[in-house]
Amino acid sequence: MTVVTHSESETGELGARLAACCTAGTVVAFFGGLGMGKTAFVRGMASVLSPDAHVSSPTFALVNNYGGKPPLVHFDMYRVTGWEDLDTTGYYDYQDQGAILAVEWSENIETALPPDAVRVTFCRLSETEREITIEGATL
Ligand SMILES: Nc1ncnc2c1ncn2[C@@H]1O[C@H](COP(=O)(O)OP(=O)(O)OP(=O)(O)O)[C@@H](O)[C@H]1O
Ligand SMILES: [Mg+2]
């Protein structure tokens, strides 16, 4: 499906809707450049999966674990360039543990994405409009 959102909060609402479809082991892979609204989308997911969590971009830590049942784990792969980097983030361990993974900058780990990953692609239409395409999940 493809939708156009007109604000950060609308993008968050879409994230909340997708979160309702996630189960243990779901990998949500985000594509799209800087400042598209990926983190805003994850904030919406967390409002459902881990309501008390404070969501911020894991720019330096590379990974934030927000807890929940199953836990929501948020990755920023912007600086991840190789398999070793990826392994260090716990990407595979969290999948083995049945966490729900939200992965910003999935472009950088394309070959490590599971075939059934939910793919969320952002396209900037204007200052406040984002076209968001969700593949691999039915909302
Ligand atoms: N429709 C929209 N949806 C989401 N964010 C929007 C929208 N319109 C404007 N914005 C603005 O775009 C910015 C999105 O920031 P956000 O941190 O969520 O992006 P990001 O894709 O995670 O960026 P980065 O690549 O730096 O991690 C915010 O400043 C937000 O207010
Ligand atoms: Mg971000």
Side-chain angles (χ1 to χ4, degrees):
M1 67 178 273
T2 299
V3 296
V4 175
T5 66
H6 304 85
S7 66
E8 188 170 350
S9 62
E10 260 186 53
T11 295
E13 284 165 26
L14 189 61
R17 282 175 59 198
L18 178 62
C21 306
C22 291
T23 54
T26 301
V27 176
V28 181
F30 296 100
F31 299 86
L34 280 166
M36 283 292 194
K38 301 181 294 292
T39 297
F41 191 104
V42 176
R43 195 166 286 126
M45 290 178 67
S47 72
V48 171
L49 297 168
S50 186
D52 296 330
H54 173 74
V55 172
S56 62
S57 186
T59 309
F60 298 104
L62 303 182
V63 53
N64 291 337
N65 183 351
Y66 301 126
K69 279 185 177 29
L72 173 65
V73 184
H74 185 190
F75 296 84
D76 185 346
M77 302 303 188
Y78 188 71
R79 287 185 182 73
V80 171
T81 51
W83 180 85
E84 216 171 312
D85 281 356
L86 179 59
D87 200 38
T88 303
T89 66
Y91 176 77
Y92 295 106
D93 292 334
Y94 283 118
Q95 273 182 69
D96 291 345
Q97 290 161 23
I100 293 170
L101 275 59
V103 185
E104 297 198 32
W105 292 97
S106 283
E107 289 90 340
N108 289 352
I109 63 147
E110 181 89 55
T111 56
L113 292 172
D116 63 348
V118 177
R119 301 169 75 97
V120 181
T121 305
F122 287 76
C123 183
R124 187 192 149 106
L125 300 183
S126 74
E127 183 73 31
T128 57
E129 291 172 306
R130 305 288 186 269
E131 185 184 80
I132 303 174
T133 300
I134 300 178
E135 298 163 289
T138 311
L139 267 63

